Amino acid sequence: MPIDKTKNNKKIALVMLSIMLCAGIVGFATNVFAQNESDSGVNTTTLVENGNPVVHNTTGFDTIIKGTENWKEGEYDISVKTFIQNIGRSTGIYKMIHKKTAEEIEAEKLAEEAKEAAAKVDPFAGKQVPGWQYVLMIAIGFLIVYLGAAKGFEPLLLIPIGFGTILVNIPGAGMGNAPDGMLHIIYSAGVGNEFFPMLIFMGIGAMTDFGPLIANPKMALLGGAAQLGVFFTMFGVALMNFIPGVDYTIVQAAAISIIGGADGPTSIYVSGKLAPELMAVIAVAAYSYMALVPMIQPPIMKALTTKKERLIHMDQLREVSKTERVLFPLMLLVLTILLLPPAAPLIGMLAFGNFVKNCGVVERLSKTMENEMMNIVSILLSLGVGSQMTPEKIINANSIGIIILGLVAFSVATAGGILMAKLMNLFLPNGKKINPLIGSAGVSAVPMAARVSMKVGQECDPTNFLLMNAMGPNVSGVIGTAIAAGVFIATYAR
C-alpha cells in the first residue's frame, strides 16, 4: 500500500507546531509569573514605597502584571524545581516514609490557624450598597429562574439558585443575615466548607458509569485536554491584575482557575482550601456556567468543527465486565493515595459512591446516594450558592473579573477537548475516527456536557448517537478536574 507522504508531512508539521506552542506557553508562563527580578533577566529600577526600597522591572512581561512582584513576598514563586518538590512532598509515598520534624509540625499548626482565621473574615461585612442594586439582583434571580423553568437550562440547579438569589436580596427579610437567617445557616452548614461538595461527589460517583472510559481509555486524553481551561485561566488571572481596581494573589488565581473545569463542588472545595474569601463568587460563577452548558458550548462546538466531522459515526463500545467496574474505583483511589493525597477527599468520595453502585451488595445505599441524598444536597447547595448573589459580593471589579474569567476558562476548556480530538484523528485510521463533538464533553459537567455533544451531533444526523462515547471524556473530566485541584492544593496550600 503506497504511503501518503502529504498526510505524513501534515502530521509531522502539526506535531512540531504543538511542541513549539507548548514551548512558547512555558516561556510565556515563566516570564508572566516571574517574581525574582535577579533571575528574570530584565532591567530593574528601585523605587521607595512606604519608606522602603522596592525593586520594579522596567522591561519584559513582569511589567505587564501589576502587583505580582508582591505576591506573598515571593513565597509563592513559580519555578519548575519548586513545583516538582511540592508535588513530590505531597505524595502519599513521601508522607509514608518521611517523619515530620518539629519545625514542620509547627508550620502546619500555624497554617491551619491562619486558614481558620481567613475563613472567618468576611471582606464584605458592613458594606452598604444602593437600594437599586438589590432590585437589580432580584431581577437577575427571576432571570435565572426563567432560564431554568421556561428554557430548560438545568432546572435542578438554576431554579433553586434563582430563588436563593431572590430571597436573599429582599429588603428587610433577613434570610441571609447571620446568625439566624435560613440561607445563612445553609451556607455556613455545608457550602462554606467541604461538607456539601463531598456529599455531591459521593452522589456523582453513585450515578456515574465509568464503563465508557474503561472500554475506551484513550478518551481520557480528551478529558485531560479540557483541563487546558483551568491552567489557561492562571494566565488570565495574572493579566487581570493590569486592570485598575482588580487585585488577585497567586493562590486566588489557582482557586479561580478551577472554574474552567465546570465543576461546582470542586470549585467550592479548592476555594475553601486556598481562597475562602472568594468562595462565594467562585461558587456562583462555577455553578452558573455548569448550568449554562447547553447555551455556551454549542456555538463553540460548531465553530471548531466542520459538518463532515460532526457527521462522524463512532463504533459501539465493548461490554465492560462487572469485575472491571468494581476494580476501577479501587485502583483510582489507590493511585490517588500514593501519588496525590490532596485530591483524595474528592476522588475518594467519587470512588466510594461508584464502588457502592457497582459492588451490587448494598443496593439500598446506592439508590439513596443517587436519589434522595443527591436531591436534598443539590437543593441545599443550590440555595446556598444563590444566597451569595448579593450586590456587595457580585457588583465589584474583582467579582466581575472572576465571572468573566470563568466564562473564558470554560470556553477554552470546551475548545481544548475538541482540538485534542481533531489532533487524535490525524493519527487514527479511517473508520476509527473520533467525532470531535465529544471532546467538548471533557469538562466536568456530568452528564449534561455529554448530552450536549449528542444533541449537536443529532442536529446534523438524527441517527448519530454519541452519548455513550461522549461519557468517556465526560467522566475523565471529573477525574481530571479533581487532579488539577489536588495539584493546586499541593503546590500552594500552606
Side-chain angles (χ1 to χ4, degrees):
M1 183 176 178
I3 299 175
D4 189 342
K5 293 184 178 180
T6 302
K7 185 178 291 187
N8 284 340
N9 289 338
K10 288 182 178 179
K11 292 180 180 179
I12 294 170
L14 188 54
V15 171
M16 292 300 296
L17 182 61
S18 301
I19 294 172
M20 292 172 64
L21 179 61
C22 291
I25 291 173
V26 171
F28 177 76
T30 301
N31 286 310
V32 165
F33 292 106
Q35 311 289 307
N36 188 336
E37 288 81 6
S38 63
D39 295 335
S40 60
V42 297
N43 298 324
T44 60
T45 59
T46 302
L47 302 177
V48 176
E49 294 182 4
N50 299 324
N52 298 314
V54 179
V55 179
H56 290 271
N57 296 323
T58 57
T59 62
F61 282 115
D62 290 334
T63 58
I64 298 176
I65 314 303
K66 173 181 66 69
T68 58
E69 70 278 359
N70 295 320
W71 274 353
K72 297 293 184 181
E73 298 179 351
E75 182 183 354
Y76 295 103
D77 285 358
I78 294 180
S79 70
V80 174
K81 180 181 177 181
T82 303
F83 173 78
I84 293 175
Q85 286 177 343
N86 287 346
I87 294 297
R89 289 169 183 165
S90 71
T91 62
I93 297 172
Y94 177 84
K95 292 182 180 296
M96 289 175 187
I97 63 176
H98 176 70
K99 184 178 180 180
K100 292 181 181 178
T101 64
E103 291 78 8
E104 289 174 332
I105 295 173
E106 182 64 21
E108 288 182 358
K109 181 181 177 181
L110 293 174
E112 188 63 29
E113 292 174 354
K115 177 186 170 185
E116 291 176 0
K120 294 177 182 178
V121 174
D122 184 358
F124 305 103
K127 184 177 180 180
Q128 299 295 319
V129 297
W132 65 266
Q133 292 188 3
Y134 289 101
V135 175
L136 175 62
M137 296 307 300
I138 291 173
I140 291 173
F142 278 110
L143 175 62
I144 293 172
V145 171
Y146 171 77
L147 291 174
K151 296 297 183 180
F153 292 141
E154 294 306 320
L156 295 178
L157 287 176
L158 286 191
I159 290 177
I161 288 176
F163 268 91
T165 303
I166 295 168
L167 295 174
V168 79
N169 285 289
I170 297 175
M175 294 190 69
N177 293 348
D180 299 322
M182 173 190 169
L183 295 177
H184 173 79
I185 293 171
I186 291 174
Y187 181 82
S188 300
V191 183
N193 52 49
E194 60 186 61
F195 182 47
F196 285 173
M198 295 298 99
L199 293 180
I200 290 289
F201 256 74
M202 189 192 304
I204 291 173
M207 297 170 65
T208 298
D209 180 10
F210 284 109
L213 179 60
I214 299 171
N216 193 0
K218 66 175 177 288
M219 293 295 101
L221 293 174
L222 301 181
Q227 305 315 309
L228 176 65
V230 173
F231 294 98
F232 178 87
T233 309
M234 289 287 287
F235 304 130
V237 174
L239 291 171
M240 288 287 285
N241 276 1
F242 188 55
I243 300 174
V246 177
D247 182 21
Y248 303 115
T249 68
I250 186 63
V251 288
Q252 290 173 337
I256 295 168
S257 298
I258 293 295
I259 298 173
D263 192 330
T266 305
S267 297
I268 293 173
Y269 179 76
V270 174
S271 60
K273 294 288 186 182
L274 299 181
E277 70 280 2
L278 295 181
M279 182 186 291
V281 69
I282 288 175
V284 168
Y287 270 94
S288 297
Y289 294 129
M290 263 182 73
L292 295 177
V293 164
M295 180 184 294
I296 298 170
Q297 283 197 320
I300 300 171
M301 297 162 69
K302 293 174 182 177
L304 294 178
T305 58
T306 64
K307 184 175 181 180
K308 181 179 179 181
E309 288 174 327
R310 295 195 290 272
L311 288 171
I312 294 176
H313 282 242
M314 299 181 66
D315 295 335
Q316 293 297 313
L317 298 172
R318 69 173 178 85
E319 185 68 25
V320 177
S321 68
K322 180 178 179 179
T323 301
E324 291 175 294
R325 294 177 186 274
V326 171
L327 290 179
F328 182 83
L330 297 179
M331 294 300 298
L332 181 63
L333 181 58
V334 169
L335 287 173
T336 305
I337 292 170
L338 293 176
L339 301 178
L340 198 61
L346 295 170
I347 292 182
M349 287 296 98
L350 184 73
F352 171 51
N354 194 253
F355 180 81
V356 168
K357 171 188 176 72
N358 289 301
C359 69
V361 296
V362 280
E363 187 176 353
R364 287 173 56 188
L365 297 184
S366 176
K367 287 185 177 179
T368 299
M369 288 180 186
E370 60 182 297
N371 293 304
E372 291 86 355
M373 187 197 75
M374 192 67 168
N375 290 336
I376 291 171
V377 177
S378 294
I379 292 171
L380 295 176
L381 184 60
S382 299
L383 280 173
V385 169
S387 74
Q388 301 306 297
M389 294 276 284
T390 54
E392 69 272 11
K393 294 177 181 177
I394 301 300
I395 306 178
N396 62 72
N398 274 4
S399 297
I400 293 173
I402 290 172
I403 292 171
I404 293 172
L405 285 166
L407 177 59
V408 172
F410 183 55
S411 300
V412 172
T414 300
I418 295 171
L419 295 176
M420 174 57 78
K422 292 165 74 78
L423 177 63
M424 291 171 66
N425 277 344
L426 294 177
F427 302 92
L428 293 174
N430 290 330
K432 299 293 183 181
K433 301 289 187 183
I434 298 170
N435 190 315
L437 293 176
I438 71 171
S440 65
V443 298
S444 298
V446 177
M448 61 191 83
R451 292 202 300 261
V452 170
S453 296
M454 184 177 75
K455 181 180 177 182
V456 175
Q458 289 189 325
E459 289 177 1
C460 292
D461 181 359
T463 67
N464 195 2
F465 294 95
L466 295 171
L467 182 62
M468 291 310 296
N469 285 289
M471 283 301 298
N474 206 186
V475 297
S476 70
V478 177
I479 298 171
T481 303
I483 291 173
V487 169
F488 284 146
I489 294 170
T491 304
Y492 295 117
R494 293 292 188 267

